């Protein structure tokens, strides 16, 4: 099982989110990502530290979500790393586990005109 961390408050969110991910690294994962309200999304196939190295230290975002992924739908790659967003780019989500009927749901959404940028069941959600 991988890890989800969320924070909203008055402190810089990135260090809190990264510490949360580090505290459960022993569970294992293949990729790691986070979304910061003012900075956008950062993703890395690799360790939490390799993601931390990409985050601007001067970030002032005080809201964010973070995730370590163990791939079930779609190979470990940056495109499939969480967080994922809706087609407007305004809703961001992370998710643990599997959506068993995601292929059927994906096919139905494609028939209705949706497009996807990853192979994950999470983006279908
Ligand atoms: N099923 C999702 C994926 O493959 C989440 C996997 C997980 O629990 O990390 O992206």
């Amino acid at each position: 099982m991988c890890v989800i961390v969320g924070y909203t408050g008055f402190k810089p969110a990135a260090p809190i989110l990264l510490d949360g991910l580090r505290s459960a690294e022993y569970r294992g994962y293949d990729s790691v990502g986070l979304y910061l309200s003012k900075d956008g999304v950062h993703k890395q196939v690799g360790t939490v530290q390799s993601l931390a190295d990409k985050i601007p230290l001067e970030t002032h975002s005080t809201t964010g979500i973070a995730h370590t992924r163990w791939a079930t739908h779609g190979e470990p790659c940056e495109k499939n790393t969480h967080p994922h967003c809706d087609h407007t780019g305004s809703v961001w989500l992370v998710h643990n586990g599997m959506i068993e009927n995601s292929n059927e749901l994906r096919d139905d959404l494609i028939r209705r005109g949706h497009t996807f940028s990853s192979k994950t069941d999470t983006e279908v959600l």
Side-chain angles (χ1 to χ4, degrees):
M1 173 178 296
C2 298
V3 175
I4 290 172
V5 185
Y7 176 79
T8 187
F10 301 102
K11 298 177 182 173
I16 294 168
L17 296 172
L18 291 166
D19 281 351
L21 295 181
R22 284 189 186 103
S23 71
E25 272 193 293
Y26 66 88
R27 293 181 180 186
Y29 57 94
D30 53 55
S31 49
V32 56
L34 63 77
Y35 175 81
L36 295 167
S37 57
K38 291 185 181 156
D39 299 294
V41 69
H42 301 273
K43 299 181 177 190
Q44 182 76 35
V45 178
T47 62
V48 173
Q49 187 56 48
S50 65
L51 177 71
D53 292 341
K54 288 173 76 173
I55 310 274
L57 292 175
E58 67 281 4
T59 177
H60 295 299
S61 293
T62 58
T63 298
I65 53 174
H67 184 258
T68 50
R69 177 176 188 241
W70 195 259
T72 66
H73 290 66
E75 72 277 13
C77 65
E78 207 160 295
K79 256 188 183 170
N80 290 334
T81 301
H82 302 206
H84 294 285
C85 66
D86 73 333
H87 69 282
T88 68
S90 59
V91 177
W92 288 86
L93 85 152
V94 297
H95 145 250
N96 280 350
M98 290 191 286
I99 300 170
E100 302 274 348
N101 62 341
S102 66
N103 288 339
E104 292 87 339
L105 295 172
R106 177 183 291 267
D107 290 346
D108 183 50
L109 288 166
I110 288 170
R111 270 193 299 277
R112 293 198 272 152
H114 286 269
T115 56
F116 292 89
S117 55
S118 80
K119 301 281 186 213
T120 64
D121 49 348
T122 305
E123 191 182 0
V124 173
L125 177 63

